[in-house]
Amino acid sequence: MFTRRKTALSAGGIAAVLIASALAAVAASEAQADDLVTHHEFQVNCNVHHRATNDPIVFPNMPGASHEHSFVGNTTTNAATTLNSLQAAGAGQTTCLNPDDLSAYWWPTMFRNNDPVPQTWRQTIYYKSGILRYQDVRPFPPGIRFVVGSPSATLDQFKNSPGAVEGFECGDISKSWDIPAYCTPGTQVNVRYQAPSCWDGVNLDSADHKSHMAYPVNLVCPADHPVAVPMLEFKISFEASGDMAGTRFASGRGYTWHYDFFNAWDPPTLAALVSHCINGGLQCNGKGFDLYKPDRGQVLGDNYRLPGRPTIPTV
């Protein structure tokens, strides 16, 4: 009897251990699900401020030398723009929701029958990780600037860019490599294009405004461009639909789409967003808040500024 009782107790003990192990595994699985990284990004939302035939990166101090661009962000951007002039504008002198993002962003204006196509709502610019080890992404250095895409690109070059190119979409149309010929009335034309996200660590610009930057190779920055910085992805919307005949960019056909970036973020604010959202594996809005992981907190205040900074309205 004694032996049998001991055997029964041992069996019960084993069962208890198995149940405890199963519960621990479930708890671990739930914890892992909570920590699952599906994104590593934050977004910036900005209105178009003005249009001008200027490009302070490609044609500095040469007003009127470029095709027409639509400018968002810093309200002072012109042909003579420098890092000093962008910073001198002061917090809030931007059409972006973040008062401390004094960067300049621009792209070729879209025309329809020679009239500019409206862009009355805020445009979305994502700051993401372009590499596998998103924890290694570092903030842009002040003053870095570059051009993504080319006004002289062919359709094949646009389609097969080293970065992910979603191309154009409207209604049920997606991944079109030129402006669609027809869009369902009431829809809008969107274009998405990703930027290189590896910096050479030395130069803030280069002769072609591209060589100081590089795309990752197999999700790793190449040895000659070792510094991982945020990968910009412009998602730009145009209020155009129906028959799209006569619709073009100032630079030409749809595949000539390109954009420029001139960084003038307040360094502590950009560093906080990069650390919390990109390095932290979150999908943040402009305040640094992930709707799907509210327990992780919000890095900026509801005024889109670092805690303790006063509210400053943007333009």
Side-chain angles (χ1 to χ4, degrees):
M1 293 293 292
F2 180 81
T3 302
R4 288 181 181 176
R5 184 178 298 123
K6 181 177 182 181
T7 302
L9 289 173
S10 298
I14 291 172
V17 169
L18 290 175
I19 292 172
S21 297
L23 291 174
V26 170
S29 177
E30 291 177 347
Q32 185 176 12
D34 289 339
D35 293 334
L36 182 65
V37 173
T38 55
H39 291 80
H40 18 68
E41 65 181 43
F42 66 91
Q43 62 179 260
V44 172
N45 304 100
C46 316
N47 282 329
V48 173
H49 181 258
H50 64 276
R51 301 187 305 272
T53 52
N54 295 328
D55 189 326
I57 294 178
V58 180
F59 298 108
N61 300 305
M62 298 174 64
S66 173
H67 50 254
E68 184 173 297
H69 288 105
S70 297
F71 292 84
V72 306
N74 199 301
T75 60
T76 69
T77 311
N78 57 34
T81 286
T82 63
L83 174 61
N84 287 339
S85 71
L86 292 174
Q87 293 174 330
Q93 293 304 304
T94 174
T95 63
C96 301
L97 289 174
N98 297 75
D100 298 298
D101 180 9
L102 294 177
S103 304
Y105 311 84
W106 63 94
W107 53 81
T109 300
M110 177 183 277
F111 289 93
R112 191 173 189 182
N113 299 323
N114 296 320
D115 293 322
V117 172
Q119 292 182 278
T120 58
W121 49 71
R122 292 189 187 276
Q123 305 299 315
T124 302
I125 299 167
Y126 295 97
Y127 283 62
K128 302 185 175 187
S129 172
I131 61 172
L132 184 61
R133 284 190 51 83
Y134 55 89
Q135 303 94 333
D136 293 342
V137 175
R138 297 293 174 261
F140 286 117
I144 195 170
R145 48 203 180 274
F146 51 83
V147 178
V148 182
S150 172
S152 61
T154 64
L155 186 150
D156 188 64
Q157 289 171 332
F158 178 72
K159 176 181 178 181
N160 296 300
S161 168
V165 180
E166 293 292 329
F168 296 90
E169 59 184 17
C170 66
D172 295 331
I173 298 173
S174 63
K175 293 191 175 182
S176 174
W177 311 119
D178 201 350
I179 299 171
Y182 182 85
C183 293
T184 303
T187 61
Q188 64 189 36
V189 180
N190 296 327
V191 60
R192 298 173 71 123
Y193 197 160
Q194 293 182 350
S197 56
C198 298
W199 176 43
D200 66 11
V202 177
N203 300 291
L204 299 179
D205 197 1
S206 50
D208 62 357
H209 314 296
K210 294 184 177 185
S211 296
H212 58 305
M213 302 295 296
Y215 284 95
V217 178
N218 297 322
L219 298 179
V220 176
C221 282
D224 55 355
H225 290 76
V227 182
V229 292
M231 183 270 287
L232 297 182
E233 180 179 67
F234 277 43
K235 180 183 179 183
I236 307 305
S237 303
F238 303 90
E239 299 166 48
S241 63
D243 183 359
M244 300 293 287
T247 305
R248 61 175 178 82
F249 285 112
S251 53
R253 296 284 293 272
Y255 42 80
T256 68
W257 164 257
H258 58 283
Y259 59 86
D260 299 53
F261 169 63
F262 200 134
N263 176 45
W265 272 91
D266 168 64
T269 304
L270 180 59
L273 286 167
V274 170
S275 176
H276 183 72
C277 300
I278 297 180
N279 302 150
L282 300 179
Q283 184 180 12
C284 293
N285 60 16
K287 299 175 185 177
F289 177 73
D290 186 339
L291 177 66
Y292 303 101
K293 297 179 181 177
D295 58 300
R296 296 287 296 276
Q298 180 175 304
V299 70
L300 301 182
D302 287 338
N303 61 359
Y304 291 87
R305 306 198 77 196
L306 289 171
R309 293 188 179 184
T311 297
I312 295 178
T314 56
V315 176

